Amino acid sequence: MEMAKHSTEVVVAGLKKILISEKGLDQEVQGKVEKLIAELQGTRPPPPPCDPDAQRIEDGFDFFKKNIYDQHPDYFRELAEGQHPRFLVFSCSDSRVSPSVVLNFKPGEAFSGRNIANMVPQFDQLRHTEIGSVIEYAVKALEVKNILVMGHSRCGGIERLMKLPDESVTYDFIDQWVQIGLPAKLKVLAVANDLTFEEQCRLCEKVSVKNSMANLLTYPFVRNAVVSGTLTLRGGYYDFVNGTFEQWKMCTEPMPPMPMPF
Amino acid sequence: MAALAPTSLSKDPLSNGALTRIFGSRVKSLEIQHTQLRLWTCFRSNSGVKLKASAEPPALTREPKSDKQESIMEMGNGCDLFNEMKNNFLSFKKHKYMENLELFQALSKGQAPKFMVIACADSRVCPSNILGFKPGEAFMVRNVANMVPTYESGPSETNAALEFAVNSLEVENILIIGHSCCGGIRALMSMQDEVDSSSFIRSWVIVGKNAKLSTKAAASNLSFDQQCTHCEKESINCSLLNLLTYPWIEEKVKKGELSLHGGYYDFVDCTFEKWTLDYKGSVMEGKNRVVVKNQSFWC
């Protein structure tokens, strides 16, 4: 062990000498040498000076490794072999509403899609491959048991939807994306026209979740799994103004049998 | 069966009354936390979507279930999960929200995150867990294999989020995080090169085709697993270059107002690599290859 430690020290010293003496080293090569030194020493190279954002990321990973990963080696070893989450969760990209934080989802528990206003469009293999691939992988490959669509208060995406059309400013992508929630907006305007704009937005945040839950059923593999009882569709709403959470579940009711033709 | 204990303490009559008007008598009170929706067929009259399913619309010919089966579907299976989610939320409220009330009150008025993060949907790699992002710190997109399509590919979920993060929230950093054992990258490496529109996954991961090409060119002597690992990192760099195809992103990067970073989380060994796109260097390479700076490796 002593000899091995000595060898490591010799190598590390040699590498450091190279870094010091070879000022014109290519940045990529320099990074690789620093990485090797870090590995040999079991430490990490210092972050670039005056980069608090880089330091923030490093501190975050440090905390996770020491307090979570290293404390549960068996759990993470198993997880590295494969994931078996029970949930697919759709939540908004909003920095305030990570489901891992709000609902304490641990690594391995929830396959997670995040987009503006947590919307799920109707099945469309040309326009919506991005979100379609998330649903397809979760339902067909991972066989999740639940899909949760989680909305939230003061959603910028919903507010944008409710404000459109807006001649003062246009967005190339956002304005098209939030149209997915148009059925929800129309419902709100039809029955709650007497409410203030803010109240309408709040209502639309919830109605839009239900619209997305209904859109999930347009994916055949989702519909089949729901009907067979292996998949449950759930909605949720996180209100960070009042610190509350509500949830609901889509249930099935029997349909009357189709009359047979004569 | 007893009604579930309310998970919401909100006494706001707005939601109750207005929701009832929309969904009729099927909406129950907030105390029950239940809204029943009928499972109807998917053939809506105004839908422009053509379904490819070969199965018959299920409910039209299905025999009605017995009352007992319906009540099981209504309440039974979900009870434990309802309680679990409720307990998790209440724990968050007690230990995080109430103990940082001022922060959450400030956040409720608006968000000003410094980061936009694009990460994979994989359940094992949530950046809030592995990098400890707290509420308010990171605007986040999650999709299969953490890919960014080009500006020219047209509207999508990810570029709507990019537009909001860069032009409205004015984040200072975009961080794309890839990871080990990525199922999406594996699908990319396994598939034929032609676009296959019968599968969402294959239609989506083709965004990373340049990463696959450069992997095959550079690492064809490696095993398939090693090639996938190589591609996981190459794909991050391809997505970084794709970010530069957005004019309003390139402009901010050029001015030094926005930095683009790649990150790679290896959950087999628990290590994290981070690097930053060197814009000037990459431009000198014709934006065909990512030149990096400020590389870090944490283990």
Side-chain angles (χ1 to χ4, degrees), chain B residues 198-233:
Chain B
S198 70
S199 155
F200 276 115
I201 296 171
R202 287 195 281 268
S203 299
W204 169 246
V205 298
I206 204 78
V207 165
K209 66 178 183 295
N210 286 344
K212 179 177 178 178
L213 289 171
S214 62
T215 296
K216 291 287 185 196
S220 56
N221 56 318
L222 301 179
S223 70
F224 182 71
D225 281 349
Q226 288 170 322
Q227 287 185 28
C228 285
T229 301
H230 191 274
C231 192
E232 283 155 5
K233 298 182 189 182

Side-chain angles (χ1 to χ4, degrees), chain A residues 63-82:
Chain A
F63 180 90
F64 163 73
K65 180 153 167 59
K66 287 196 175 100
N67 297 295
I68 300 171
Y69 192 97
D70 289 346
Q71 301 300 318
H72 305 279
D74 291 343
Y75 180 76
F76 282 96
R77 196 174 302 124
E78 209 178 299
L79 215 50
E81 297 301 319

Side-chain angles (χ1 to χ4, degrees), chain A residues 53 56 69 79 83 93 95-96 98 100 108 112 130 136 154 172-174 202 206 217 240 243 251-252, chain B residues 12 15 37 42 70 73 93 97 107-108 111 121 123-124 126 128 132 136-137 140 158 163 173 201 267:
Chain A
D53 295 337
R56 171 61 192 86
Y69 192 97
L79 215 50
Q83 55 170 333
S93 297
S95 64
R96 300 167 283 191
S98 166
S100 300
S112 182
E130 186 170 353
E136 187 177 62
R154 298 202 175 153
D172 292 338
F173 300 122
I174 297 171
R202 284 198 50 214
K206 297 183 189 182
L217 289 175
F240 51 61
C251 304
T252 59
Chain B
D12 183 358
S15 303
L37 299 175
C42 301
E70 283 309 309
M73 287 188 77
K93 182 163 183 175
Y97 187 95
L107 281 178
S108 72
Q111 55 170 335
S123 65
R124 299 166 283 191
C126 177
S128 300
E137 288 194 306
M140 214 172 292
T158 290
E163 191 172 33
N173 303 274
I201 296 171
F267 53 60

Side-chain angles (χ1 to χ4, degrees), chain B residues 44-117:
Chain B
R44 297 185 192 177
S45 56
N46 58 352
S47 167
V49 168
K50 191 174 176 171
L51 290 177
K52 297 204 174 207
S54 56
E56 286 180 272
L60 289 176
T61 52
R62 197 162 55 103
E63 290 299 313
K65 291 191 181 212
S66 69
D67 286 343
K68 187 176 176 190
Q69 280 179 302
E70 283 309 309
S71 67
I72 286 171
M73 287 188 77
E74 184 179 339
M75 297 290 274
N77 295 341
C79 252
D80 291 340
L81 279 177
F82 267 126
N83 281 337
E84 198 179 322
M85 270 208 279
K86 179 186 118 185
N87 290 338
N88 284 339
F89 176 72
L90 292 176
S91 173
F92 156 74
K93 182 163 183 175
K94 185 178 171 188
H95 298 293
K96 291 185 181 166
Y97 187 95
M98 297 308 294
E99 290 188 12
N100 297 284
L101 202 53
E102 268 184 43
L103 167 69
F104 279 93
Q105 281 170 346
L107 281 178
S108 72
K109 293 186 173 56
Q111 55 170 335
K114 283 199 172 183
F115 284 92
M116 175 181 183
V117 176

Side-chain angles (χ1 to χ4, degrees), chain A:
Chain A
M1 283 299 274
E2 269 308 302
M3 196 178 288
K5 193 178 163 192
H6 178 71
S7 302
T8 305
E9 281 169 356
V10 166
V11 170
V12 166
L15 288 171
K16 282 183 174 173
K17 218 184 218 176
I18 292 172
L19 281 182
I20 293 165
S21 61
E22 299 292 331
K23 295 288 180 203
L25 265 187
D26 180 61
Q27 273 189 331
E28 197 177 341
V29 172
Q30 185 175 339
K32 285 183 176 164
V33 173
E34 282 174 358
K35 183 175 156 178
L36 183 55
I37 292 172
E39 274 181 21
L40 290 168
Q41 287 180 319
T43 60
R44 58 189 164 274
C50 303
D51 192 346
D53 295 337
Q55 189 63 48
R56 171 61 192 86
I57 298 172
E58 184 174 347
D59 290 345
F61 182 70
D62 215 13
F63 180 90
F64 163 73
K65 180 153 167 59
K66 287 196 175 100
N67 297 295
I68 300 171
Y69 192 97
D70 289 346
Q71 301 300 318
H72 305 279
D74 291 343
Y75 180 76
F76 282 96
R77 196 174 302 124
E78 209 178 299
L79 215 50
E81 297 301 319
Q83 55 170 333
H84 306 282
R86 279 189 308 171
F87 288 88
L88 161 61
V89 179
F90 284 111
S91 55
C92 187
S93 297
D94 193 300
S95 64
R96 300 167 283 191
V97 303
S98 166
S100 300
V101 173
V102 175
L103 296 179
N104 199 24
F105 282 118
K106 307 226 177 354
E109 284 198 293
F111 197 73
S112 182
R114 292 185 72 176
N115 63 45
I116 298 267
N118 45 271
M119 290 197 179
V120 178
Q122 288 187 355
F123 179 102
D124 187 330
Q125 284 189 316
L126 292 176
R127 286 180 61 200
H128 295 299
T129 56
E130 186 170 353
I131 197 165
S133 62
V134 172
I135 304 170
E136 187 177 62
Y137 194 80
V139 175
K140 289 168 98 171
L142 298 177
E143 295 180 335
V144 296
K145 299 284 174 275
N146 304 273
I147 303 180
L148 167 65
V149 180
M150 188 174 102
H152 71 96
S153 51
R154 298 202 175 153
C155 181
I158 295 293
E159 188 184 328
R160 183 67 191 161
L161 167 69
M162 295 300 287
K163 259 192 189 151
L164 289 173
D166 180 1
E167 283 166 14
S168 62
V169 61
T170 53
Y171 288 100
D172 292 338
F173 300 122
I174 297 171
D175 291 350
Q176 258 213 40
W177 173 254
V178 298
Q179 295 296 331
I180 293 167
L182 189 58
K185 173 180 176 176
L186 294 174
K187 276 196 176 115
V188 167
L189 292 178
V191 304
N193 222 2
D194 50 326
L195 301 179
T196 65
F197 179 73
E198 242 187 51
E199 288 169 336
Q200 288 180 347
C201 285
R202 284 198 50 214
L203 183 56
C204 193
E205 284 155 5
K206 297 183 189 182
V207 178
S208 173
V209 167
K210 290 172 183 168
N211 180 56
S212 287
M213 288 166 75
N215 284 347
L216 279 168
L217 289 175
T218 64
Y219 294 75
F221 39 87
V222 172
R223 189 179 70 231
N224 292 341
V226 169
V227 164
S228 69
T230 56
L231 180 65
T232 304
L233 304 188
R234 300 175 185 276
Y237 183 78
Y238 168 43
D239 179 344
F240 51 61
V241 181
N242 299 305
T244 60
F245 182 80
E246 51 186 290
Q247 57 171 320
W248 51 90
K249 183 177 91 167
M250 185 186 283
C251 304
T252 59
E253 290 177 8
M255 297 285 287
M258 187 76 161
M260 296 300 295
F262 290 107

